[in-house]
Amino acid sequence: MLQSKSFLKRTKKGNAIKVVQEHYLRDDIWCSVECCTLCLQTEPVLSTSALLTKQIPRPHYIVPDTNVFMNQIDVVEHPALHDVIVMQTVYEELRHLSLPIYNRLRALINDQKKRFYVFSNEHHRDTYIQRLKDESPNDRNDRAIRSAVKWYSTHLKKINKENHIEVVLLTDDVGNRTKAQEEGLSAFSVREYVEGMTDTPELVDVLENSSNVEGDKKVPYEEGSIFSNVDGVETQVMILGRPCLNRAIQGDVVAVQLLPKSEWLRTPTAVVVEEEEEANVTADLKEDGEPKEQNDDLESEALESSQPTGKVVGIIKRNWRPYCGFISKKSVKSSATSTFAENVLVIPMDRRIPYIYIRTRQAQNLMGQRILVSIDSWPKNSTALGAAGDKSTETEVLLLEHDVPFQEFAAQVLNDLPVEGEAWKVTEVHLPGRADLRHLNICSIDPPGCTDIDDALHVRPLPNGNYEVGVHIADVTHFVKPFTSMDEEAANRGTTVYLVNKRIDMLPELLGTNLCSLRSNVDRLAFSCIWELTPEAEIVNVNFTKSVISSKASLTYEEAQMLIDDTRKQDDLTKGIRILNQLAKKLHKKRLDRGAITLASPEVRFQLDFDSQDPVDVEMKELRETNALVEEFMLLANISVAEKIFSKFPASSLLRRHPSPTPTKLKELSNAINRFNFSLEFETSKALADSLDRAVIPDNPYFNKLLRILTTRGMMQAVYFCSGTLQFQDFRHYGLAAEIYTHFTSPIRRYSDVIVHRLLHAAINSEKNYGQELVDINKMQKLCDASRNSVELHTNIFFKGKIEQDEGYVTRVLKNGFIVLVPKYGIEGIVYSSSANSTAKSPTTPQVVYNPHNNSLESVTPSGTVSINLFDKVIVQITVDEDLVGGMRQKMKMELVSPFIPGLSVSDNNLRKKEARIDDEGGNGKRMRIDD
């Protein structure tokens, strides 16, 4: 059957043309019901085991309208909903209204377990309707859906009059629902229908509606900071107190007014004891579970040094996201069998986020679970993630809290991969425009277990006595083209995130660990930076080219170091590594002479159990000469590439700079080392580097490294920027003493490097041209934070059930405690000297007093005065406290062992009481004692 309509259309030239549209109607569009004997379908979708609810006790199929999918897609995706008929009218509307919702619906249709069937009602002769005169398109579509529901109801009654399956229209449009009921159809709102599903009460919580749920801002939500220019100097501006935060949340883009200098605050010398902070939550609740009114006045304590302070006067852009948290047990009032909704308190894992009230019927079921809550528009949508303390759950919380995209790559992204898959290889078609360097002795040097090999090196002597040195970087841009789904996904992820026990890749595994990875003994595409260097490591010239290479060896740092040290090895590859090592040392010396700073950070490596992947040992990472070898040539490549792309694109190059440090923080550190007859000079990076080199105590070799660690923390963060936004004198990278710098050497794991590769390719090929393509730096910083927190998570797992004692160094002194860094494990913790809740003195209360004159803690003991100063060596006891907030947060706990302070240090009797008892799988008790 053919339907047609015609209309006149005016062209761009003003001519009128007649357009005729033909619409074919068919008799062979089947219902796809399993028990139907009237239709001729071969693979029916809809099962006879259809839905049953309290309100509709008969088996039935549901037909949602367009608005249900648009507003309640989370409900529709729930496993309890199946056997759903999707009208073609709805399907086409969704495709035009929201592509993300449309794609989610397509995923449901493709899921055989859900049994979603698309019925082509617009092409069925009995269900197609024409638009009436003066009828709106929306009203016509609503009528088309009702017409199709009516056909289904009549059709199913023909199959079995007495025990037929019903068809239910789901719509939140009151007018549409009323008309359906007047026509004798079964129609319900989503809420009416879901409330009848008594076996799945959690669906009520998932329902979206227009009401707001207010989040209460409490104690953790009292402090923030931004980076801004103050008196021409880029520095940190503190924002203290809820009134000054003005309802801004971490990540929001805000307008800040700088307060007068007389109101600037200084660095507080005390820290809040987290256990006491959490205990105050209950005191802040009324008996009915509502928050008490808060007194927002903040008392200032003893303050050390002034710091710019401001207040939020406007929120320019909200950057809310879902937050991980847990329900406070003390806020749950219902019984285990209750099905009534109640307000409960969600405590976010990120202490920078305010506590949030949600209304739920599942309070009892959600206690002890990590949940995900969203406060955009304050909806009541929380999702249980898993049991608190479980490693996989905590890892997922960690990734969600730092907004790390860790889902599997979507099909449209994988479609951009080479169709050959793992069988892809370099062929003659790839050679034009590339230098063939497969004959060179190229090798890679990486950490053990590295599979995403970004870089490789080579060196060969030249007839004039100089050396040709090449840095070869994986040519990711050959596979990741601009404006593809792969490129968009890589840009969204920003970087590969390395956790202790897993890696969240920026690129699909086929590229990251195979086709792009510069494996040994296989041809790979690369982007090469090749210098001619004198024996003194002076650059004669540099050349950039796309290339084809074949690495001769994939070495670890340790293996490369063994080749250098083994004098029996005299092969060409080993000789080349030795030459590279000598050149790297000279490059390093030149950098130091220019003022580059050798900084430090406490990094650890975990040994994981093969089966459980739990940490069984932890140690500080060992750095070898080969680490420095690779680092020097990567730095040289980054600098050379930065110069090249800036010469071609002076207004749109992606560069990286490191601002000069804030004097205030380094002054405090300089004052602290005065007692050792040292001082820090930081007028220039060269002056700072020299003063760090002089600060050496022969009988305390760790002192210099600790000083460099603390100096690193006093630095500003390095940031990406567009060259057209700053003057050239502001391009400088302070730490590297480089006038210009970028990131080029890690395109497999950093999207900024992908952009730089495109810029470099355009710079050496005049026909290529790319615009200003920058990266989301805030997201990249969150991903870096996630890597550090993974170390904290695995450290907690390592110490769980253990009591360890080890040497540490005091890195900061506070009014009520001090912070200790334990080099062996690379961890820091607070040793509290007093409790904020302590009101009464007792024989065991430590008499520790803060001395503001020399920034120390002092205690008078029977054997004399004991003081705790910055850089002091101490012995601490390390355990993991799992009792914070009902066991929902684990926290590293440190207690002082030596020097001994009565009431503060752990005594031998206490140690014996705290010996850990660990049960093995057979139930036999094992006693684990603390090492001497």
Side-chain angles (χ1 to χ4, degrees):
M1 181 178 178
L2 176 66
Q3 294 280 339
S4 65
K5 64 178 180 179
S6 62
F7 57 91
L8 294 176
K9 179 180 178 182
R10 189 173 297 278
T11 66
K12 291 182 179 179
K13 294 183 178 180
N15 300 325
I17 59 172
K18 184 177 182 180
V19 178
V20 178
Q21 287 186 343
E22 296 180 340
H23 190 91
Y24 290 89
L25 302 180
R26 299 170 55 177
D27 296 318
D28 59 349
I29 297 175
W30 315 124
C31 68
S32 199
V33 176
E34 191 176 41
C35 62
C36 181
T37 56
L38 304 177
C39 296
L40 303 179
Q41 62 254 9
T42 56
E43 296 181 359
V45 175
L46 301 171
S47 169
T48 52
S49 303
L51 292 163
L52 297 170
T53 70
K54 182 179 180 181
Q55 292 177 335
I56 313 173
R58 295 173 61 90
H60 61 273
Y61 304 134
I62 60 174
V63 182
D65 71 358
T66 306
N67 286 329
V68 171
F69 284 108
M70 287 293 297
N71 301 321
Q72 307 292 353
I73 186 65
D74 290 338
V75 174
V76 178
E77 288 176 329
H78 193 279
L81 268 72
H82 51 82
D83 292 288
V84 176
I85 302 171
V86 181
M87 297 300 172
Q88 179 191 358
T89 306
V90 174
Y91 190 72
E92 293 297 328
E93 273 194 301
L94 285 174
R95 185 165 63 90
H96 294 98
L97 288 173
S98 173
L99 194 58
I101 299 294
Y102 173 75
N103 288 333
R104 290 169 72 175
L105 175 58
R106 287 185 61 189
L108 292 172
I109 294 168
N110 293 330
D111 186 351
Q112 295 182 359
K113 296 180 180 179
K114 292 285 285 182
R115 299 194 292 275
F116 275 51
Y117 174 62
V118 179
F119 178 65
S120 298
N121 63 302
E122 296 291 350
H123 293 282
H124 195 290
R125 186 168 61 176
D126 295 334
T127 59
Y128 173 75
I129 63 169
Q130 290 186 335
R131 182 179 171 186
L132 303 177
K133 184 179 180 182
D134 298 327
E135 186 179 34
S136 70
N138 185 63
D139 289 342
R140 182 266 169 200
N141 289 341
D142 286 345
R143 189 162 59 88
I145 296 170
R146 294 197 303 272
S147 173
V149 171
K150 187 173 184 179
W151 178 87
Y152 253 105
S153 298
T154 304
H155 183 76
L156 293 177
K157 286 178 182 178
K158 292 179 182 178
I159 300 172
N160 190 331
K161 283 189 177 182
E162 296 181 358
N163 297 314
H164 66 274
I165 300 175
E166 292 190 13
V167 181
V168 176
L169 174 63
L170 286 189
T171 175
D172 285 333
D173 184 332
V174 177
N176 190 24
R177 192 163 63 245
T178 302
K179 289 178 182 178
Q181 292 168 347
E182 289 174 353
E183 294 173 10
L185 303 177
S186 180
F188 293 90
S189 70
V190 178
R191 179 168 291 279
E192 289 172 338
Y193 185 83
V194 165
E195 287 178 346
M197 301 178 69
T198 54
D199 292 337
T200 53
E202 69 271 14
L203 270 175
V204 178
D205 288 333
V206 181
L207 281 174
E208 297 279 349
N209 56 45
S210 59
S211 62
N212 291 336
V213 180
E214 287 293 334
D216 186 35
K217 284 75 180 172
K218 292 182 178 292
V219 177
Y221 180 57
E222 286 189 344
E223 182 176 325
S225 66
I226 65 166
F227 283 95
S228 184
N229 283 307
V230 179
D231 296 333
V233 178
E234 190 169 11
T235 188
Q236 187 180 47
V237 178
M238 293 299 296
I239 304 168
L240 299 177
R242 287 187 298 275
C244 290
L245 282 167
N246 196 12
R247 300 188 76 242
I249 289 181
Q250 170 71 16
D252 288 349
V253 179
V254 297
V256 173
Q257 178 185 354
L258 202 63
L259 297 177
K261 288 189 177 182
S262 60
E263 298 180 31
W264 285 9
L265 297 180
R266 302 184 178 98
T267 305
T269 58
V271 66
V272 177
V273 181
E274 291 170 6
E275 296 90 329
E276 296 163 356
E277 171 194 299
E278 304 294 358
N280 290 333
V281 173
T282 308
D284 288 334
L285 301 178
K286 293 181 180 178
E287 291 183 0
D288 59 1
E290 295 298 320
K292 292 181 180 179
E293 293 184 0
Q294 301 274 324
N295 180 7
D296 291 327
D297 295 334
L298 296 177
E299 296 183 0
S300 297
E301 301 198 5
L303 303 167
E304 287 184 326
S305 58
S306 63
Q307 186 163 6
T309 307
K311 65 178 180 180
V312 176
V313 294
I315 299 173
I316 299 171
K317 181 184 177 183
R318 290 289 193 186
N319 282 322
W320 291 339
R321 59 175 176 79
Y323 300 99
C324 299
F326 53 89
I327 291 179
S328 171
K329 293 181 179 179
K330 295 180 180 178
S331 69
V332 178
K333 309 297 181 184
S334 63
S335 64
T337 57
S338 173
T339 59
F340 292 103
E342 63 174 320
N343 291 328
V344 295
L345 181 70
V346 174
I347 304 177
M349 299 300 296
D350 188 340
R351 293 179 177 85
R352 299 169 297 185
I353 306 304
Y355 299 151
I356 304 165
Y357 273 98
I358 65 170
R359 188 169 181 81
T360 178
R361 298 169 184 265
Q362 308 175 74
Q364 291 290 340
N365 294 333
L366 292 177
M367 280 196 300
Q369 301 285 317
R370 297 285 190 233
I371 66 173
L372 191 65
V373 297
S374 176
I375 60 173
D376 53 42
S377 300
W378 308 102
K380 300 172 288 189
N381 57 337
S382 57
T383 305
L385 300 177
D390 176 72
K391 188 177 66 175
S392 60
T393 300
E394 298 298 340
T395 299
E396 185 175 354
V397 167
L398 184 153
L399 295 170
L400 288 167
E401 272 304 298
H402 291 88
D403 205 16
V404 177
F406 63 97
Q407 297 79 10
E408 295 294 327
F409 288 96
Q412 58 264 37
V413 175
L414 299 179
N415 288 339
D416 289 336
L417 293 171
V419 294
E420 301 91 340
E422 293 187 357
W424 181 93
K425 61 182 179 180
V426 176
T427 63
E428 293 297 319
V429 73
H430 299 112
L431 296 182
R434 293 181 181 272
D436 191 344
L437 307 179
R438 288 176 286 187
H439 61 286
L440 297 177
N441 276 323
I442 296 173
C443 69
S444 61
I445 306 174
D446 292 283
C450 178
T451 56
D452 51 345
I453 303 173
D454 286 287
D455 54 85
L457 296 150
H458 92 271
V459 63
R460 63 175 176 177
L462 297 175
N464 62 0
N466 291 339
Y467 295 103
E468 178 189 275
V469 177
V471 165
H472 312 278
I473 307 300
D475 187 8
V476 172
T477 55
H478 175 81
F479 300 95
V480 182
K481 302 297 185 184
F483 312 117
T484 61
S485 297
M486 178 83 71
D487 185 53
E488 291 176 4
E489 181 66 18
N492 178 51
R493 296 191 175 217
T495 184
T496 293
V497 180
Y498 294 91
L499 304 181
V500 170
N501 63 329
K502 67 188 301 184
R503 183 182 66 222
I504 312 299
D505 289 314
M506 183 184 81
L507 299 174
E509 185 178 11
L510 178 64
L511 293 185
T513 63
N514 191 345
L515 305 188
C516 289
S517 183
L518 303 183
R519 296 175 170 182
S520 57
N521 302 312
V522 62
D523 293 350
R524 286 291 180 254
L525 303 180
F527 210 150
S528 299
C529 177
I530 302 174
W531 303 270
E532 181 182 343
L533 298 181
T534 69
E536 296 304 313
E538 296 287 350
I539 298 177
V540 177
N541 57 63
V542 60
N543 181 44
F544 306 95
T545 180
K546 291 288 186 90
S547 61
V548 179
I549 69 169
S550 179
S551 173
K552 301 302 184 287
S554 298
L555 305 173
T556 65
Y557 291 121
E558 184 177 6
E559 289 170 344
Q561 190 66 53
M562 291 173 63
L563 290 178
I564 292 173
D565 297 339
D566 189 349
T567 56
R568 295 170 298 176
K569 297 284 187 180
Q570 296 298 326
D571 57 280
D572 290 342
L573 185 64
T574 302
K575 289 179 180 179
I577 295 174
R578 290 183 183 133
I579 293 172
L580 288 171
N581 192 40
Q582 293 303 314
L583 291 172
K585 290 179 179 179
K586 293 173 182 178
L587 288 171
H588 181 68
K589 184 178 184 303
K590 290 177 184 295
R591 280 201 309 112
L592 295 182
D593 291 342
R594 292 196 304 267
I597 305 169
T598 303
L599 300 175
S601 62
E603 294 189 81
V604 296
R605 175 180 288 113
F606 289 90
Q607 293 183 15
L608 304 181
D609 179 79
F610 181 78
D611 294 322
S612 69
Q613 290 294 292
D614 284 342
V616 294
D617 196 9
V618 59
E619 60 186 8
M620 291 294 290
K621 290 183 180 179
E622 182 182 355
L623 298 180
R624 298 177 170 84
E625 283 186 0
T626 46
N627 291 81
L629 183 161
V630 175
E631 180 185 16
E632 288 302 325
F633 284 107
M634 296 306 112
L635 293 176
L636 187 63
N638 287 335
I639 293 171
S640 297
V641 169
E643 293 171 345
K644 182 64 177 179
I645 63 174
F646 180 65
S647 68
K648 176 71 174 180
F649 302 106
S652 61
S653 291
L654 173 59
L655 303 175
R656 188 166 175 83
R657 71 187 185 99
H658 183 205
S660 301
T662 304
T664 304
K665 293 186 177 181
L666 292 186
K667 278 182 181 177
E668 294 175 3
L669 188 57
S670 182
N671 293 336
I673 63 174
N674 282 342
R675 66 190 181 99
F676 301 105
N677 297 319
F678 299 127
S679 64
L680 291 181
E681 300 170 9
F682 40 85
E683 291 77 13
T684 64
S685 59
K686 175 63 174 172
L688 180 58
D690 291 342
S691 58
L692 286 171
D693 290 339
R694 290 192 297 267
V696 176
I697 300 177
D699 59 350
N700 186 358
Y702 193 74
F703 174 83
N704 187 263
K705 182 173 182 179
L706 180 59
L707 179 59
R708 292 180 187 274
I709 290 172
L710 298 182
T711 302
T712 304
R713 295 176 182 176
M715 296 284 186
M716 301 286 283
Q717 275 189 325
V719 293
Y720 293 99
F721 70 101
C722 179
S723 57
T725 62
L726 293 173
Q727 297 295 320
F728 183 78
Q729 59 265 27
D730 296 324
F731 287 13
R732 182 175 174 80
H733 195 293
Y734 182 88
L736 298 175
E739 297 301 321
I740 190 169
Y741 190 70
T742 192
H743 275 162
F744 164 76
T745 54
S746 299
I748 292 178
R749 60 182 179 87
R750 241 175 6 214
Y751 187 72
S752 59
D753 301 51
V754 175
I755 297 297
V756 171
H757 275 234
R758 291 172 181 164
L759 288 168
L760 181 61
H761 193 207
I764 63 175
N765 292 274
S766 56
E767 72 276 8
K768 295 288 182 181
N769 188 19
Y770 297 96
Q772 298 185 23
E773 297 173 278
L774 300 178
V775 293
D776 188 338
I777 306 308
N778 290 329
K779 181 177 286 293
M780 187 170 289
Q781 183 55 45
K782 289 179 182 177
L783 300 177
C784 295
D785 289 342
S787 296
R788 286 192 288 270
N789 285 4
S790 172
V791 172
E792 179 183 350
L793 168 63
H794 281 75
T795 302
N796 286 352
I797 295 173
F798 173 74
F799 283 108
K800 187 175 182 179
K802 297 178 183 177
I803 301 176
E804 298 283 338
Q805 287 187 9
D806 225 296
E807 285 185 351
Y809 292 86
V810 178
T811 60
R812 190 177 178 191
V813 177
L814 306 160
K815 279 192 64 178
N816 60 340
F818 52 95
I819 299 176
V820 176
L821 169 65
V822 181
K824 179 179 178 180
Y825 303 113
I827 58 173
E828 276 187 303
I830 300 173
V831 177
Y832 294 104
S833 62
S834 63
S835 169
N837 288 343
S838 298
T839 57
K841 300 289 184 181
S842 71
T844 59
T845 301
Q847 303 299 313
V848 180
V849 179
Y850 176 71
N851 185 339
H853 299 292
N854 57 10
N855 188 32
S856 67
L857 293 173
E858 297 178 350
S859 177
V860 179
T861 68
S863 58
T865 301
V866 178
S867 63
I868 302 291
N869 298 277
L870 194 63
F871 295 101
D872 278 358
K873 184 187 292 186
V874 296
I875 296 177
V876 292
Q877 176 177 293
I878 308 167
T879 55
V880 171
D881 192 340
E882 300 182 53
D883 296 328
L884 295 180
V885 200
M888 292 301 287
R889 279 186 185 153
Q890 295 182 343
K891 180 176 178 292
M892 185 72 62
K893 183 177 180 180
M894 284 191 185
E895 296 173 282
L896 183 64
V897 176
S898 177
F900 184 78
I901 298 177
L904 177 62
S905 298
V906 180
S907 67
D908 291 340
N909 290 334
N910 288 337
L911 288 177
R912 281 191 289 271
K913 290 178 182 178
K914 291 183 178 180
E915 285 178 341
R917 183 176 183 82
I918 300 176
D919 294 329
D920 61 10
E921 294 181 355
N924 298 321
K926 292 184 179 179
R927 185 72 65 180
M928 180 181 66
R929 296 190 176 276
I930 302 165
D931 296 333
D932 294 332

